[in-house]
Amino acid sequence: MLTKLLTCMTALLVAALVIPPTATAAGAPSDPARAELRGIVENVTGATGKRYGAHDDAGHTMDTVKIIQDTTGGYLAVSHHMASDGHFRVNLATSTDLLNWHWVRELAGSNTGAASQPTIAQASNGGFVMAWEQENPGGGNNHLAFRYFASKADLLAGRVGKSFDAARRLSTCAEGTPNIYKITLSPDIEHSTIDVGGHYYWNCDRDRQQRGTLKNFNSWTNSAQSDYDNALLYWGVGGNIGDRDQVSFRGYSFGLIEGQYTKGDFGSWRTFVYDYQTGNADKTAIHTDAGSTAFANPTVTALRAPNGQNAILVTLFIPSEGAGPGESGELIYYRTVS
């Protein structure tokens, strides 16, 4: 009887533990590439170019910025800043060197409620899909919003070609922080499949991962992604698991994902490298010039540096609670690679 009781208690304890992601096989093909990417992410001090506390030339902070290559030359970026009314606004900016940015226009947030955490990707037809976390004008109802711009000229002018706001399906409180994995046109935006990552506010208590599909720019389905969550829970993350971005590097797919070790503690935000091949995540030890320790809202982009070389560009938000002197706010840095 005692043996049976102990067996039952052991089973309950095991069930209560976070199950780690599938262990990476020794010598997994993606290991060297993941290690190289992690090294790029960690080595801010040795970056080819970097900018702490990024602002555009109109004085807006460029928080949670997503930067992409402008196929006609230079670079495009979407970011948010907090306006004087206390609400977030989404801005568009351009650059020729990745570090100095010219403000073009506001794209969301002025009359429609706070807009934050934007991302952008270019489709094969030259159009652009932008997504962000949208609130109601009176606050609340955080959800994913999508806009399509048919050309660069339309994007710069703020002319929206198609709009879609996704109803929340996984949380009654909030869904947001999008990234765009892939845009497939068959052959146009009216016949398209857009693969999107995001978070949902699990039990209205903590952010957890979701992935969704925007079909033909008029229908939305999404589901929880426990594998992503488990990869960070394995390392003891106890707070939010939120923003993420994805990049193809050395022929493999990797992501950067933020995890908050302690709920409510902005100084406990860390960034992890996620391996889509193995389902595992690596902790990072990011080294900045002044020794910042907290890193949130990561993005990662493969592009060509201003000198024409291939490069990996990373952006991170450094909360003041974990910032070294002069380093709080948005960090942009890149490393050229052969």
Side-chain angles (χ1 to χ4, degrees):
M1 186 71 178
L2 179 59
T3 301
K4 183 180 291 186
L5 179 60
L6 289 172
T7 301
C8 291
M9 290 177 65
T10 300
L12 288 171
L13 286 170
V14 170
L17 296 174
V18 173
I19 299 173
T22 303
T24 304
S30 58
D31 283 358
R34 188 178 70 252
E36 183 183 358
L37 179 62
R38 187 177 70 248
I40 293 170
V41 173
E42 292 179 333
N43 188 13
V44 182
T45 57
T48 306
K50 60 191 169 191
R51 175 63 49 85
Y52 295 99
H55 288 66
D56 61 33
D57 60 3
H60 307 111
T61 61
M62 296 182 68
D63 299 340
T64 70
V65 67
K66 173 61 179 179
I67 297 168
I68 62 173
Q69 192 98 49
D70 180 350
T71 56
T72 64
Y75 310 93
L76 299 165
V78 290
S79 60
H80 76 232
H81 83 285
M82 183 171 285
S84 58
D85 61 5
H87 293 127
F88 289 117
R89 311 282 178 84
V90 168
N91 291 309
L92 173 69
T94 61
S95 176
T96 59
D97 64 4
L98 289 172
L99 303 180
N100 297 286
W101 292 90
H102 169 64
W103 180 76
V104 177
R105 66 171 49 255
E106 184 180 295
L107 288 174
S110 57
N111 300 313
T112 58
S116 62
Q117 315 282 350
T119 191
I120 191 169
Q122 188 168 22
S124 59
N125 66 351
F128 296 86
V129 175
M130 186 176 78
W132 70 90
E133 184 172 335
Q134 177 67 48
E135 296 182 41
N136 279 349
N141 189 35
N142 292 46
H143 63 277
L144 294 173
F146 299 89
R147 301 295 183 266
Y148 173 70
F149 303 88
S151 65
K152 180 185 173 183
D154 284 355
L155 176 66
L156 295 177
R159 289 190 295 266
V160 175
K162 296 188 76 67
S163 301
F164 183 81
D165 282 56
R168 294 196 308 265
R169 297 175 178 273
L170 301 176
S171 172
T172 59
C173 293
E175 297 182 16
T177 59
N179 72 291
I180 298 172
Y181 287 106
K182 187 177 182 181
I183 303 170
T184 304
L185 304 181
S186 304
D188 50 30
I189 198 66
E190 287 80 15
H191 308 84
S192 61
T193 302
I194 304 172
D195 184 7
V196 181
H199 85 262
Y200 69 101
Y201 202 31
W202 170 72
N203 286 343
C204 297
D205 179 63
R206 288 173 172 83
D207 292 343
R208 292 294 183 260
Q209 295 299 291
Q210 66 156 307
R211 193 157 179 170
T213 301
L214 176 57
K215 193 78 172 175
N216 303 330
F217 231 86
N218 62 17
S219 67
W220 171 252
T221 57
N222 60 341
S223 61
Q225 300 291 302
S226 59
D227 287 351
Y228 298 175
D229 296 330
N230 284 340
L232 271 63
L233 293 173
Y234 175 73
W235 293 110
V237 171
N240 292 320
I241 301 173
D243 209 356
R244 87 238 46 80
D245 203 15
Q246 181 269 345
V247 69
S248 294
F249 182 67
R250 306 298 190 204
Y252 298 98
S253 180
F254 301 107
L256 300 185
I257 304 180
E258 63 174 0
Q260 185 185 40
Y261 273 94
T262 303
K263 181 182 175 182
D265 179 5
F266 282 82
S268 71
W269 281 109
R270 301 293 185 270
T271 288
F272 298 77
V273 176
Y274 182 79
D275 189 327
Y276 286 88
Q277 287 70 222
T278 65
N280 291 308
D282 289 347
K283 292 191 296 183
T284 60
I286 297 173
H287 301 285
T288 66
D289 294 83
S292 293
T293 57
F295 306 96
N297 297 107
T299 78
V300 57
T301 309
L303 43 64
R304 289 197 176 274
N307 67 0
Q309 290 183 271
N310 291 328
I312 294 295
L313 177 130
V314 178
T315 72
L316 300 166
F317 183 78
I318 302 178
S320 58
E321 293 86 344
E327 291 187 350
S328 65
E330 192 69 13
L331 167 61
I332 300 171
Y333 61 107
Y334 68 93
R335 162 79 70 167
T336 56
V337 295
S338 57

